């Protein structure tokens, strides 16, 4: 390494630190939200990016899909196309949670993946 490269090294190190550390913004990371909390305290999660896990269930009239846990805490999943192929399977759903007293609880799903 030349003397000039050594002299610039602190500047490069500082820039590198800003790029690496500055890029670690976790504010947009999904918040873990078990179904029992989404069911019991929906206002806390209103319009929040969440990730939750449950078994996909469906009902024919009107057609809709939801995830539920063993205690039957449920949250609808929209759009239906994201979960239609997973009925009966345990999945992890990431998306924005919503609650309205006259409409219930639902997640606008971004991703649906099989859960262990």
């Amino acid at each position: 390494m030349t003397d000039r490269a050594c002299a610039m090294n602190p500047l490069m190190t500082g820039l590198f630190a800003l790029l690496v550390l500055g890029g670690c913004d976790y504010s947009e990371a999904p918040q873990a939200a078990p179904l029992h909390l989404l069911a019991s305290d929906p206002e806390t999660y209103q319009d929040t990016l969440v990730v939750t896990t449950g078994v996909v269930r469906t009902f024919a009239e009107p057609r809709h899909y939801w995830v539920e846990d063993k205690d039957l805490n449920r949250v609808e999943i929209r759009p239906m196309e994201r979960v239609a192929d997973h009925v009966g399977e345990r999945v992890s759903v990431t998306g924005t949670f919503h609650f309205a007293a006259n409409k219930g609880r639902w997640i606008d799903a971004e991703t649906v993946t099989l859960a262990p």
Side-chain angles (χ1 to χ4, degrees):
M1 189 179 285
T2 68
D3 289 337
R4 182 175 177 174
C6 289
M8 290 186 64
N9 196 24
L11 176 62
M12 296 305 286
T13 301
L15 287 173
F16 179 75
L18 276 175
L19 289 173
V20 171
L21 297 176
C24 296
D25 179 8
Y26 295 107
S27 64
E28 294 186 26
Q31 180 176 350
L35 288 169
H36 73 275
L37 292 179
L38 293 175
S40 66
D41 192 14
E43 294 87 2
T44 298
Y45 298 94
Q46 179 73 335
D47 299 324
T48 300
L49 184 63
V50 299
V51 60
T52 195
T53 303
V55 176
V56 177
R57 304 288 186 213
T58 189
F59 191 76
E61 287 295 324
R63 173 66 67 196
H64 61 284
Y65 297 85
W66 65 89
V67 291
E68 69 182 25
D69 63 15
K70 62 180 175 52
D71 296 320
L72 303 181
N73 294 300
R74 299 173 175 150
V75 175
E76 183 180 359
I77 304 300
R78 299 177 187 169
M80 293 186 291
E81 297 78 23
R82 298 270 165 106
V83 293
D85 293 337
H86 295 291
V87 173
E89 297 177 331
R90 183 171 167 78
V91 298
S92 178
V93 179
T94 301
T96 303
F97 177 79
H98 303 281
F99 169 74
N102 61 343
K103 294 182 181 180
R105 301 176 297 267
W106 71 96
I107 295 174
D108 289 326
E110 293 178 7
T111 63
V112 175
T113 57
L114 291 178

